[in-house]
Amino acid sequence: MADTQNMNSRRDALKTMFRGAGLLGLGGAAWGTTAIKLKASELTLRPPGALEEKRFVKACIRCGTCVEACPYDTLQLATLDDHTAIGTPFFKPRLIPCYMCPDVPCVPVCPSGALDVDVIAKQIDGIKSEEPDINKAKMGIAMLDQEACLAFWGIQCDACYKACPLLGEAITLEFKRNERTGKHAFLKSVVHCNICTGCGLCEHACVTEKAAIFVLPRTIATGKVGEHYIKGWDKADEERLKNLKEEKAVKSSPEDELNDWEYLLDDD
Amino acid sequence: MMTNIIKRNRYLILRRTTQLGLLILFGGANWWGWKFLMGNYSSAYVLETFYLADPHAVLQTFATGFVMSADAIIGAVIVLVFYALIAGRSFCSWVCPINMITDLATWMRKKWKITKKESFFTFSRKTRYWVLGLGILLSPFVGVAAFEVINPITMLHRGIIFGFGMGWAVIVALFLFDLLLVEYGWCGHLCPLGVFYSATSRFSLIKVKHDVEKCTMCMKCFDVCHEEQVLHIVGEQSGFIKDECSNCGHCIEVCDDNALKFSINNYKI
Ligand code: SF4
Ligand code: SF4
Ligand code: SF4
Ligand code: SF4
Ligand code: SF4
């Protein structure tokens, strides 16, 4: 009698344990997948000096000190409506662009290191200093839709060119004869990706109904040739071929790779 | 009469003062450019000189493999040491803005006489310890501080200070959960931050002390305490109220026999 009772209570205890473990697993899986979806934020423009997106989302403690430090109200913290990691700072240049403050007040106030002066450190005599250099910011790249740009129609417009804080460097104008009229010229804006900071002043200034020039995050807007293409006419690039093996060893950092779970979810 | 009401609610008034005062100081930084307390409860920039940070958030981030800057780490240590050695779980009753929402739900439950038996379902108060553990365990797998992406506490204060978006719906849901489904549902059963602070509060200085000699066993304290289980010593032995007690002082306010009062921990009983 006592034995069967003992057995029963043991069985009950086991049952409870399994139920608990099951609930925990279920909760963990539901929570985990939700968390991964909620942090997805590839299409977001981050403040200057932000770490690479995957690390940024880990690092940012969501305090909004950067938002308060920005004198132009450029930055906002993501709410549930914004398709990016909740609570993290971002900006919409068509609304308010980043005015590229020379002293970059938004960066040094960040307590977590999600915004890091080191990312945009000024080079003095080739050595990184502790001073920020806003021209080094890489918030995104301005892309131009030639179909929607008035200048490409032959109508005179240089709003984006004039608005660019790196005028003549990040955007240059390309002169071209307008064969249609025979007596006018096109003045086409050309963005130089290696210099453009992604501040979005051009997007903000664009006169078309929906901006013909707009900023996209660098991860979205850049391609990659792949290391097996070599510029045969370039001595330095040929040299690279020889060093490829060593390069490979140091190149891939685990940070760039997908987490185990994300890999399973990455269907879209 | 008037003084009696104030006396009966003395800790409530003080608690609302600190809760709302902090909210206004944080809000003022974003709305009017005040420099007293920038940021929010996740991390605050105090008088433009040093930082405070939420140790639970920093711990989760640490679990993802990212080590925050010294500013945030030192800020988290200051906060942790303050609660662990001095204030116990006081964050919940004196600082956390969610407390005002859940207190309102409790008040309305009492007013509408929604009793415990009418709880839609019940589950263990220990659940929150599992939530605490799971949040830290999940963080390295999801590559982000797992609780922070669903945290209604931060949604509320960020919402008030920086703008809600749809976040208010989560707060309404939490309120209704406490009001209609489970008594003390969120803070008493699910929130990992509350038990994070109670787990570290064992040696805190400020604690509620019970004097069994004065106790008449009226049970009024049991009626108002949101963590009834911590009152197990009441009527049985003198000593300090421990574990999940949030130092809200509600039991002290309702005790007509002076058998409960705030006291300094002597680390003996
Ligand atoms: S650089 Fe200036 S304008 Fe741009 S986000 Fe920072 S504070 Fe705002
Ligand atoms: S200051 Fe840093 S931690 Fe705070 S919201 Fe901005 S990026 Fe995130
Ligand atoms: S985003 Fe536009 S305005 Fe800003 S640097 Fe690039 S091209 Fe110039
Ligand atoms: S239990 Fe959580 S939500 Fe409730 S008061 Fe404490 S920290 Fe805030
Ligand atoms: S024991 Fe008293 S002070 Fe502690 S939580 Fe309960 S009512 Fe509040």
Side-chain angles (χ1 to χ4, degrees):
Chain A
M1 190 63 208
D3 254 15
T4 48
Q5 241 171 25
N6 233 338
M7 284 273 278
N8 278 341
S9 69
R10 207 177 302 154
R11 196 176 299 149
D12 281 349
L14 221 60
K15 236 196 238 164
T16 319
M17 226 177 75
F18 274 124
R19 199 188 300 148
L23 276 175
L24 206 66
L26 199 70
W31 184 355
T33 43
T34 314
I36 286 171
K37 283 293 168 203
L38 284 178
K39 72 156 196 178
S41 46
E42 295 220 295
L43 272 168
T44 315
L45 299 179
R46 298 300 184 186
L51 302 178
E52 165 272 320
E53 182 66 23
K54 281 220 160 68
R55 293 182 73 214
F56 179 81
V57 172
K58 282 183 190 176
C60 173
I61 198 168
R62 297 135 209 263
C63 66
T65 310
C66 53
V67 174
E68 285 166 3
C70 173
Y72 297 99
D73 290 338
T74 301
L75 305 175
Q76 37 180 310
L77 289 188
T79 66
L80 273 182
D81 322 20
D82 304 304
H83 298 280
T84 185
I86 187 163
T88 56
F90 72 106
F91 70 106
K92 293 182 181 154
R94 189 66 165 167
L95 235 57
I96 310 176
C98 165
Y99 287 89
M100 290 179 57
C101 315
D103 55 338
V104 209
C106 52
V107 174
V109 296
C110 175
S112 69
L115 306 181
D116 191 346
V117 175
D118 196 55
V119 174
I120 49 169
K122 187 178 274 168
Q123 302 269 347
I124 298 176
D125 301 330
I127 307 160
K128 267 190 184 179
S129 70
E130 311 247 301
E131 296 283 301
D133 175 2
I134 189 63
N135 293 352
K136 285 223 149 55
K138 292 277 177 276
M139 297 171 271
I141 301 176
M143 308 299 268
L144 192 140
D145 176 4
Q146 304 190 354
E147 300 298 323
C149 175
L150 295 180
F152 280 72
W153 286 18
I155 297 172
Q156 204 212 338
C157 174
D158 58 0
C160 57
Y161 172 77
K162 288 259 177 63
C164 181
L166 298 170
L167 170 145
E169 293 175 64
I171 302 188
T172 53
L173 291 181
E174 192 186 68
F175 292 82
K176 222 179 158 196
R177 201 179 130 81
N178 187 341
E179 302 292 350
R180 183 175 61 78
T181 64
K183 53 184 172 181
H184 302 96
F186 289 111
L187 275 172
K188 299 176 178 175
S189 295
V190 178
V191 179
H192 300 275
C193 296
N194 50 342
I195 296 171
C196 170
T197 62
C199 70
L201 273 154
C202 53
E203 177 178 338
H204 186 65
C206 184
V207 300
T208 53
E209 188 180 313
K210 182 164 177 281
I213 190 166
F214 45 85
V215 181
L216 290 179
R218 292 188 91 85
T219 45
I220 302 285
T222 49
K224 192 179 171 196
V225 178
E227 53 208 7
H228 52 287
Y229 286 96
I230 306 287
K231 294 173 189 156
W233 58 92
D234 183 347
K235 271 262 148 38
D237 213 37
E238 291 239 285
E239 209 46 41
R240 188 169 62 89
L241 185 63
K242 286 179 199 155
N243 301 333
L244 212 63
K245 274 219 176 92
E246 295 152 49
E247 241 179 68
K248 220 171 197 165
V250 284
K251 204 203 87 233
S252 65
S253 83
E255 293 285 0
D256 300 332
E257 279 159 30
L258 292 173
N259 285 306
D260 306 356
W261 284 36
E262 276 173 285
Y263 171 72
L264 295 171
L265 280 168
D266 236 34
D267 48 6
D268 44 12
Chain B
M1 180 62 193
M2 193 61 201
T3 52
N4 209 11
I5 291 176
I6 292 176
K7 186 156 179 279
R8 280 242 150 216
N9 292 294
R10 57 195 187 278
Y11 295 120
L12 180 68
I13 294 166
L14 282 175
R15 293 197 294 116
R16 292 294 177 261
T17 311
T18 57
Q19 284 167 333
L20 291 170
L22 284 170
L23 262 184
I24 291 170
L25 283 181
F26 275 124
N30 194 41
W31 309 324
W32 310 303
W34 292 357
K35 304 286 181 197
F36 301 110
L37 215 47
M38 290 169 75
N40 60 29
Y41 300 69
S42 299
S43 180
Y45 192 20
V46 188
L47 297 168
E48 295 190 279
T49 45
F50 68 99
Y51 291 87
L52 297 174
D54 172 359
H56 181 224
V58 173
L59 185 66
Q60 290 169 71
T61 306
F62 191 69
T64 68
F66 185 87
V67 182
M68 286 189 177
S69 312
D71 282 335
I73 293 177
I74 294 168
V77 169
I78 295 174
V79 171
L80 189 65
V81 165
F82 171 73
Y83 287 117
L85 296 187
I86 298 173
R89 192 195 167 187
S90 298
F91 175 83
C92 291
S93 289
W94 294 79
V95 177
C96 184
I98 288 278
N99 174 257
M100 292 188 271
I101 309 277
T102 52
D103 269 3
L104 179 67
T106 306
W107 184 76
M108 284 171 74
R109 264 187 102 86
K110 296 227 159 99
K111 207 154 176 105
W112 293 351
K113 303 207 167 50
I114 305 174
T115 60
K116 210 179 280 179
K117 286 186 194 66
E118 283 167 58
S119 281
F120 233 70
F121 55 100
T122 51
F123 60 103
S124 166
R125 278 182 178 267
K126 293 250 153 55
T127 312
R128 47 195 167 162
Y129 287 96
W130 290 101
V131 177
L132 174 63
L134 204 55
I136 289 162
L137 218 67
L138 275 177
S139 296
F141 292 102
V142 298
V144 66
F147 182 62
E148 296 314 304
V149 287
I150 56 166
N151 185 345
I153 311 164
T154 56
M155 276 184 217
L156 177 63
H157 62 67
R158 263 201 319 266
I160 294 171
I161 302 164
F162 296 99
F164 263 114
M166 281 304 292
W168 61 268
V170 174
I171 306 305
V172 171
L174 187 147
F175 171 74
L176 292 176
F177 178 69
D178 263 39
L179 178 68
L180 303 172
L181 298 188
V182 183
E183 185 180 44
Y184 307 122
W186 171 255
C187 296
H189 295 75
L190 290 172
C191 177
L193 187 54
V195 287
F196 176 86
Y197 284 124
S198 29
T200 54
S201 73
R202 177 132 301 239
F203 303 108
S204 68
L205 209 57
I206 301 170
K207 284 197 155 52
V208 175
K209 192 177 178 196
H210 177 57
D211 185 348
V212 75
E213 308 297 324
K214 292 183 180 156
C215 178
T216 56
M217 294 284 274
C218 68
M219 294 287 148
K220 279 184 190 159
C221 51
F222 282 86
D223 286 343
V224 297
C225 180
H226 61 98
E227 298 283 357
E228 260 185 78
Q229 74 281 3
V230 304
L231 291 171
H232 60 88
I233 61 165
V234 166
E236 286 179 12
Q237 66 183 92
S238 294
F240 294 97
I241 310 289
K242 296 201 174 103
D243 304 317
E244 290 98 2
C245 169
S246 71
N247 283 340
C248 72
H250 209 159
C251 53
I252 305 174
E253 290 167 345
V254 296
C255 184
D256 295 319
D257 309 300
N258 254 330
L260 290 159
K261 60 174 198 289
F262 277 125
S263 183
I264 300 293
N265 197 351
N266 62 9
Y267 302 101
K268 281 187 197 125
I269 34 173

